[in-house]
Amino acid sequence: MSPSSSKIPYGGDYNPEQWPQEVWDEDHRLFTRAGIDTLTVGVFSWALTQPAEDTYDFTVLDRVLDRAAAEDRQVCLATGTAALPPWLAKRYPEVNRTDFEGRRHRYGQRHNFCPSSPAYRRLATEMASRLAERYADHPALLAWHINNEYGGTCYCDLCAAAFRDWLRDRYGTLDALNDAWWTTFWSHRYTSLEEIEPPSALTEHWRGPDHTAFQGITLDYFRFTTDALLGCFLAEKEVIRARDPVTPATTNFMGMFRPLDYHRWASHLDFASWDSYPPLDAPPPWAALAHDLMRGLKDGAPFWLMEQTPSTTASRDVNPLRRPGELRLATFQAIAHGADAALYFQLRASRGACEKYHGAVIGHAGRDDTRVYREVAALGAEVEQLGDASLGARTPARTALLFDWDSWWALEISDGPSRLVKYLDVVHPYYRAAREAGADVDVVAHTADLTPYDVVLAPALHMVRGDLATRLEAVAERGGTVLATFLSGRVDEHDRAFLADVPGLLAPLMGIRIDEWDSRQAEFAQPVPEIGSSGRLVFEIVQLRGAETIATYGTDFYAGTAAVTRNRYGQGEGWYVATALDQPGVDQVVRRVLARHGLIGPYADHEGLETATRVAPDGTRLRFLLNHTAEPVELTAHDTATDLLTGKRTEAGDPLTLDPRGVAVLRLQ
Ligand code: GLA
Ligand code: ZN
């Protein structure tokens, strides 16, 4: 179930409740000129719609929606439960979170309600229910936006009690729990659930949230938090569904956001959506990885780009502008990866408070002759022109990358072998290598069906559980290639080491055995001469058990032992990379794997040129070309195609030029 539209919804967060009526008139005039047809409203309206516990007032929201409908605009209606009104926190102090240090917070900010608070749950669902009752049949309603950017952790007594209930459901008996957490270590054997505390600075942790005496407990608290916030989402969704059986509901995710395992949420969303604010120095594949992760949530179904800034953020210490053309490029990159909506935060800048300098389509002066407004309007026209061409289109990927929150958590809360290894720093280079070689990549959960793929990349797959190892072996059996890296196959679902050779359940597929591993400071680089690369951080010492050596370590007592191996398995291969190779090293390994399956794209040698493919429901193939450089790119066209943005037709073999930061959306013939 996803919102139905005849073109890409274009618009964004809109908070007209902050402004007098004349400003609304002006807004709508400017929206029309910019091709803005979709407004996300009500995200922060709780204090307005419920000024006191027994008073609901939808007058302003009625006007916002009625006006949108009158202007032929559609609305993504938020339930507004992410920012508490002051009266609520005052009357029910339990809604304020208790932090990692054990401090009960007082009223302030947003996104900080206790997920286990009965008062919060009751009042938030009541609000969602009333909104659904009131607006289910409103002509402007396109989608439900439940809450906003769920996240964060609470350590209060209500959460402690809810955690104990969650543990009872999960383990059934204390024996099972003690065994899972390996509590005999340090005399932790629990004799009653009441003895269990949330893992915090007051209990199992030191030096912050990643240093825990019991990984099993901390892992379960991550999972519990994911489920507790999911419970809040589901409670709102359920009351909406009771009153509105048809309008699709989502909540806006944050891409590679460590605190919540979005895979546990995915089946409960009608469609996925997310807010893209890439780190400042992120290369283009970073945002692409997040898009592909979000697309992977619903088995490859398109998602919504719920927010991005049209120009600049405000929350960072330094907030650079998007250069001319960058917004357009980022938007088409999202569409290329499966976005079926392109929305901004925000349409008009807030006058006060901490986001007053956050970029907006319309700034404080209300002008329509700014560079940003002009770029937004020009893009609006292009999105209009694209029409329904990309709607519902799927990515025909033959490469999968396994992305696993449990592995992310387990790796980063582990004592040893190295605190310097960060999950995304391992995953991203492999994704990047595949994308820059021109392969479309599905980023999927460990439970995903792997049968559509020729290549499965499993970087830092620290935790292996269920039948995953068997399914990976099946990929190789039938001729595919599986690639794993250092620190893969180390622990079971409770973070207990396997009582077997490393890499545990992956050892047969990889044809190796690892008894020892070295780790060194970040500055130390270990040469890997055969591929002209070097490794860092962790150096697993690989013994061959059927695999062959592709590249070796160049120095130290393990010089000459394998750093990269390949094992023939069934009709296919298992590759293992035992250290954190530099990007050129990762590129070489990944390209060799992709080449075996003919998955290197036609423009793989053009640095900074990204390609992505989508197949529309009617079978039409779209190829997106995205020039991420500030220079023009000269290509020889690989296909006969028509550019949907310019109408220009190119025959295979013709010259094809992309402007600096230019984009082509080619409909292949
Ligand atoms: C998030 C929130 C928005 C806004 C933007 C600013 O994505 O959802 O309400 O605060 O950040 O970047
Ligand atoms: Zn709590």
Side-chain angles (χ1 to χ4, degrees), residues 69 79 86 159 170 191 199 243 394 408 427 440 443 496 516 535 538 559 568 583 587 637 642 649 661:
T79 58
C159 285
R170 176 165 167 81
T191 55
R243 284 150 194 83
R394 299 263 176 166
W408 188 353
V427 169
D440 289 305
V443 178
R496 297 175 307 195
E516 297 181 273
V538 169
R568 299 196 193 276
Q583 186 71 52
D587 289 346
T642 305
R649 191 184 148 86
R661 300 198 175 100

Side-chain angles (χ1 to χ4, degrees), residues 13 43-44 110-111 145 148-149 252 254 275 277 307 309 312-315 345 355 358:
D13 272 55
V43 181
F44 301 112
R110 62 167 184 179
H111 298 170
H145 178 299
N148 195 64
E149 294 193 337
N252 47 342
M254 290 175 274
D275 302 343
Y277 299 98
E307 294 182 19
T309 177
T312 172
T313 53
S315 58
F345 184 90
E355 290 180 354
H358 193 288

Side-chain angles (χ1 to χ4, degrees), residues 94 96-98 104 114-117 154-160:
E94 64 171 55
N96 299 311
R97 280 186 192 163
T98 296
R104 163 77 72 190
C114 165
S116 310
S117 152
C154 180
Y155 299 87
C156 76
D157 291 344
L158 289 167
C159 285

Side-chain angles (χ1 to χ4, degrees), residues 253-255 273-276 287 290-291 294 303-307:
F253 284 163
M254 290 175 274
S273 67
W274 85 284
D275 302 343
S276 179
H291 290 312
M294 297 294 103
F303 58 89
W304 273 24
L305 178 60
M306 188 66 90
E307 294 182 19

Side-chain angles (χ1 to χ4, degrees), residues 122-184:
R122 175 172 59 79
L123 290 160
T125 49
E126 179 65 22
M127 174 55 70
S129 163
R130 285 179 186 246
L131 288 166
E133 200 166 285
R134 193 168 190 93
Y135 300 114
D137 298 322
H138 198 283
L141 184 66
L142 176 66
W144 287 103
H145 178 299
I146 294 177
N147 204 275
N148 195 64
E149 294 193 337
Y150 282 102
T153 312
C154 180
Y155 299 87
C156 76
D157 291 344
L158 289 167
C159 285
F163 183 44
R164 292 178 197 121
D165 289 343
W166 185 93
L167 293 169
R168 187 179 295 110
D169 285 352
R170 176 165 167 81
Y171 293 107
T173 66
L174 277 172
D175 280 350
L177 176 144
N178 279 309
D179 185 47
W181 288 356
W182 212 247
T183 54
T184 314

